[in-house]
Amino acid sequence: MADEALVVIDLQNDFCPGGALPVAGGDEIVPLVNDLIRRTEHVMLTQDWHPAGHSSFASSHPGKQPFETIDLPYGQQTLWPDHCIQGSLGSDFHSGLAWTKAELVIRKGFHPEIDSYSAFYENDRTTPTGLAGYLRERGIDTLTLVGLATDFCVAFSALDAVKQGFHTTVRLDACRGINLNGSLETMLNRMRDAGVTLA
């Protein structure tokens, strides 16, 4: 299926149990994701890749705690614990992930002043990552998304994929969510309404 691709979102140590921003059960999806990688010709990965002192870190805002929200120039931003710092063990892909087959790794969140959830756009909603152009040039029009976390980076990637005209499926069995203040149900509904296939 040369026109299909698997996009594995942020399956990194810091988002797995024991990491700086763990998603419950985040490591449980690794065998299933590896099986999907084996069965898919085109595989892309995203990697959260923050410089130290990133604007999305609560530690960069005196008096603020993780999971509070603040207003940044591009809009509302959830503050996170320091995570996925460039070159750290936490930023590495999960050691069990069969990632070497990937033909492209999109690093996101490396601009110090802008967070980036989506594989397609930074959180200012105007700075592209280049993924859409890459997929189009390769003749790929159908995407399956898996990874972490369902209600943040996976969901924002899926919504942007549909907006960019890609046939988009999220494999919920190969994702895990954070569910911050009901975010999981909210984002599942948003994906459904946008035309994302939830499988």
Side-chain angles (χ1 to χ4, degrees), residues 5-12 37 42-50 86-87 91-94 97-110 116 118-120 122 128-132 134-135 138:
L6 178 71
V7 184
V8 182
I9 306 285
D10 297 359
L11 196 38
Q12 295 166 259
I37 288 173
H42 297 292
V43 178
M44 283 104 212
L45 306 178
T46 68
Q47 188 175 23
D48 224 25
W49 194 248
H50 295 306
Q86 295 169 357
S91 70
D92 287 349
F93 295 118
H94 186 281
L97 181 66
W99 63 269
T100 53
K101 184 180 174 183
E103 60 193 56
L104 181 71
V105 176
I106 291 279
R107 286 181 165 160
K108 57 193 186 60
F110 57 82
S116 187
S118 170
F120 293 91
E122 310 234 334
T129 65
L131 178 58
Y134 177 88
L135 293 168
R138 300 299 302 272

Side-chain angles (χ1 to χ4, degrees), residues 18-194:
L21 183 51
V23 179
D27 53 348
E28 297 169 0
I29 66 173
V30 171
L32 180 51
V33 171
N34 284 344
D35 190 47
L36 292 168
I37 288 173
R38 273 191 294 273
R39 293 190 279 123
T40 307
E41 185 178 344
H42 297 292
V43 178
M44 283 104 212
L45 306 178
T46 68
Q47 188 175 23
D48 224 25
W49 194 248
H50 295 306
H54 192 267
S55 63
S56 69
F57 295 167
S59 63
S60 299
H61 304 275
K64 295 293 183 184
Q65 296 300 312
F67 311 112
E68 289 184 29
T69 56
I70 62 166
D71 286 316
L72 289 178
Y74 54 81
Q76 202 170 65
Q77 172 67 49
T78 299
L79 295 177
W80 305 107
D82 292 23
H83 66 280
C84 295
I85 292 171
Q86 295 169 357
S88 68
L89 185 63
S91 70
D92 287 349
F93 295 118
H94 186 281
S95 60
L97 181 66
W99 63 269
T100 53
K101 184 180 174 183
E103 60 193 56
L104 181 71
V105 176
I106 291 279
R107 286 181 165 160
K108 57 193 186 60
F110 57 82
H111 292 117
E113 301 308 321
I114 312 175
D115 203 8
S116 187
Y117 296 157
S118 170
F120 293 91
Y121 284 98
E122 310 234 334
N123 285 8
D124 62 2
R125 313 305 305 141
T126 57
T127 305
T129 65
L131 178 58
Y134 177 88
L135 293 168
R136 283 198 191 96
E137 284 203 4
R138 300 299 302 272
I140 293 165
D141 63 8
T142 302
L143 304 179
T144 298
L145 273 60
V146 299
L148 305 172
T150 315
D151 40 344
F152 284 91
C153 296
V154 174
F156 281 95
S157 298
L159 291 168
D160 281 344
V162 167
K163 260 189 220 140
Q164 290 288 321
F166 296 100
H167 305 289
T168 307
T169 298
V170 171
R171 279 284 300 264
L172 294 174
D173 56 345
C175 299
R176 293 292 183 274
I178 295 175
N179 203 19
L180 187 61
N181 303 319
S183 56
L184 189 55
E185 188 176 357
T186 297
M187 295 310 287
L188 289 173
N189 288 333
R190 276 187 64 184
M191 285 191 282
R192 259 188 223 104
D193 292 346

